[in-house]
Amino acid sequence: MNVVVVGGGKVGFYLASTLLEHGHHPVVIELERQVCHHLADRLDIPVVCGDGTELQVLEEACSVAPAEAVIGVSGRDEVNLIVCQLAKLRFSVPKTVARVNNPRNMEVLQKLGVDICVSSTSNIVNVLEHEIDTAAIRQLMALNRGEFSLNELELPEDFRFSGKTLTEIRMPQSAVLVSISRGEEFLIPRGNTKLLAGDRVVLIAKTSSLHELAAFFGINHESFH
C-alpha cells in the first residue's frame, strides 16, 4: 500500500518505520529540512520537504506512487484536517487518516470528511490496514474480545488457487474455513473440497492477520460487492 505521511517528527518517523515493517510504501512530507535528511538517511524512503497543506507539495508526494492513503500526524489538528481534505477532494485519495491531538476535535474532524480519526498513534497502522487492506473482508462477529473474528469474503475472478483443493492450498494457520457458498450450494469444507472463483466463504481468523489473509486470497478494497 502506498501511504503519504504528513509530519516527520517522532510520530511520523515511528509510523513510517512501522509501515515499512508491514510491507507498505510510505512517503513522508516534512517542513524542516534537517528532519527530512534524517528520515531519508535512517529509513531510506522518499521524503518531500515542504508544507503538507500546500497543493504543490502534496501533489509531489502523491505522484511518487498512486497514494492509497494519506495520514496527517502533525501536532496541530487543523493541519491534519486540511491535509486530509485536500487529499480527498483534490487528489481522490481513497482513505484519509488524521491524528487527533485534542480528543474534543474527534467528532468535528469526522463531520468535516476525515475517514479515520485516531487519538492513539500506536493504533494508526492497525486501523489503516483494517480499513484499506481488509475492506473486502466483511466482519460478521467479534470473538474473544476482538482477538478473533468471524468473517465473510468473496473470492475474486482471478483467484490464483481456483480449482485447487484445500489440501493443496494450505490455508494460513491464522484462519479456519467454516463454510463455502457457491450459488445455491452450501458446502462444509473438507480437505478434498475445491475453492472456485466467485465462492463466498466464511472463516474464523485472528483479527490482526486479516490484511495477510486479504493478500493470500488476492482481494482488495474493490473486490467485495
Side-chain angles (χ1 to χ4, degrees), residues 24-150:
H24 302 297
H25 308 286
V27 177
V28 177
I29 298 175
E30 169 56 39
L31 190 58
E32 295 187 24
R33 189 166 297 278
Q34 186 175 354
V35 177
C36 290
H37 290 313
H38 174 73
L39 283 165
D41 291 342
R42 288 285 303 276
L43 299 179
D44 192 24
I45 60 174
V47 178
V48 177
C49 192
D51 185 346
T53 63
E54 294 182 359
L55 277 174
Q56 184 177 356
V57 174
L58 194 57
E59 182 178 20
E60 183 180 348
C62 290
S63 66
V64 173
E68 297 169 79
V70 168
I71 309 175
V73 292
S74 77
R76 297 171 59 190
D77 290 349
E78 61 270 28
V79 170
N80 297 336
L81 171 62
I82 293 171
V83 164
C84 289
Q85 288 181 323
L86 288 175
K88 180 71 71 174
L89 298 176
R90 296 300 297 269
F91 302 107
S92 301
V93 176
K95 193 67 65 173
T96 57
V97 184
R99 172 195 178 196
V100 182
N101 301 278
N102 185 346
R104 294 181 180 178
N105 294 334
M106 181 84 72
E107 186 176 352
V108 175
L109 266 66
Q110 290 175 329
K111 287 183 177 179
L112 291 175
V114 178
D115 294 318
I116 307 171
C117 296
V118 184
S119 58
S120 174
T121 56
S122 62
N123 290 330
I124 290 179
V125 174
N126 289 336
V127 171
L128 178 64
E129 287 182 332
H130 172 68
E131 291 290 332
I132 295 287
D133 286 344
T134 68
I137 299 178
R138 177 181 295 170
Q139 291 197 39
L140 303 176
M141 182 187 301
L143 304 170
N144 196 33
R145 298 181 181 179
E147 183 180 0
F148 294 86
S149 55
L150 184 67

Side-chain angles (χ1 to χ4, degrees), residues 137-171:
I137 299 178
R138 177 181 295 170
Q139 291 197 39
L140 303 176
M141 182 187 301
L143 304 170
N144 196 33
R145 298 181 181 179
E147 183 180 0
F148 294 86
S149 55
L150 184 67
N151 308 276
E152 182 185 49
L153 61 92
E154 183 176 322
L155 301 182
E157 293 181 2
D158 59 351
F159 181 49
R160 57 177 175 158
F161 297 122
S162 186
K164 293 186 178 295
T165 65
L166 290 175
T167 301
E168 294 174 311
I169 293 173
R170 294 185 181 179
M171 287 273 296

